[in-house]
Structure formats: C-alpha cells, structure tokens
Amino acid sequence: MILYFSGTDNSRYVARKIAQELNDELISLNQLIKEGKTDELISTDKPFVFVCPTYAWRLPIVVTDFIKNTKFLGSNKVYFVMTCGRDTAKAINYIQRLCKYKEWQLKGMAEIKVP
C-alpha cells in the first residue's frame, strides 16, 4: 500500500510511479486527513510505503500525527520515500522514532531530489 502526502504534487508524482511499478494500491493521505479519517488501514501481503515531502528536515507534522493516530494492520514492514530540494538531513531520526512508537520494522528510507 502506497500512502502519499503532497503539497506541490511532487510527492504524488513519485508515489504514482512507485505504485505503477509495484502494482500496488495508491492512497492520498491529504484526502484522509481532510476527511478526518483515522480508520484502520490494512495491507496483508505488502509493506506500507509512505511518500511525502521533507518539511524542516523531517516528516510533515500532519503526517506524523496521522500515522500516530491510525491503526495499520497486516504488515508491520514500512518504507519511507522523502522528496526534498537538497537533502533530508536527519529526517531518518524522526522516522526511526516513529517506527519504534508504532512497533514497525523500518525496511528503508529513500530521498528523491525534486526541483
């Protein structure tokens, strides 16, 4: 399951490409957050992949809050793909803490430079 948050459509573009390559479901966190939905999300046979921009060298707070308040069932394996202008600096530290909080296995983090 590919979940993305995007402000300028760069992360949405990256998420779409990943979903196409992996033949996986694509879900907009923007939409879920706007609707106030923190229902359970289930991915039984594939890891969760989060795609979002880097804000102040970390995950956007709204994404962190959504993840903390939502139940993710099935797979406990996660990947994060961060879009950025220059680099993600120490965003991995925030991601590792979030994964520890959620009891997830962080399988990897990638940064994608965008204009």
Side-chain angles (χ1 to χ4, degrees):
M1 179 179 293
I2 315 299
L3 301 116
Y4 73 91
F5 177 83
S6 193
T8 62
D9 282 343
N10 288 327
S11 294
R12 181 173 61 125
Y13 175 81
V14 170
R16 278 187 184 164
K17 290 294 186 185
I18 293 169
Q20 288 171 354
E21 287 296 316
L22 298 177
N23 193 31
D24 205 348
E25 181 178 7
L26 183 64
I27 296 176
S28 168
L29 291 178
N30 298 63
Q31 192 64 37
L32 294 178
I33 291 166
K34 282 179 190 175
E35 294 172 2
K37 291 188 177 181
T38 55
D39 300 341
E40 298 173 344
L41 292 170
I42 303 167
S43 182
T44 54
D45 59 342
K46 294 183 180 182
F48 291 99
V49 179
F50 293 92
V51 182
C52 65
T54 305
Y55 287 176
W57 297 289
R58 62 180 298 169
L59 293 168
I61 299 292
V62 67
V63 172
T64 300
D65 290 345
F66 176 83
I67 290 171
K68 284 183 175 180
N69 294 318
T70 302
K71 275 192 173 182
F72 294 86
L73 302 174
S75 179
N76 73 336
K77 295 177 177 142
V78 296
Y79 291 87
F80 284 84
V81 178
M82 307 284 295
T83 58
C84 61
R86 198 171 97 205
D87 63 57
T88 59
K90 296 187 179 184
I92 187 66
N93 294 339
Y94 294 99
I95 290 169
Q96 288 170 330
R97 278 187 254 154
L98 181 59
C99 288
K100 185 175 181 179
Y101 174 82
K102 294 297 284 188
E103 298 180 354
W104 285 342
Q105 289 181 33
L106 177 61
K107 302 306 283 181
M109 186 209 122
E111 73 179 41
I112 308 290
K113 290 185 172 86
V114 294

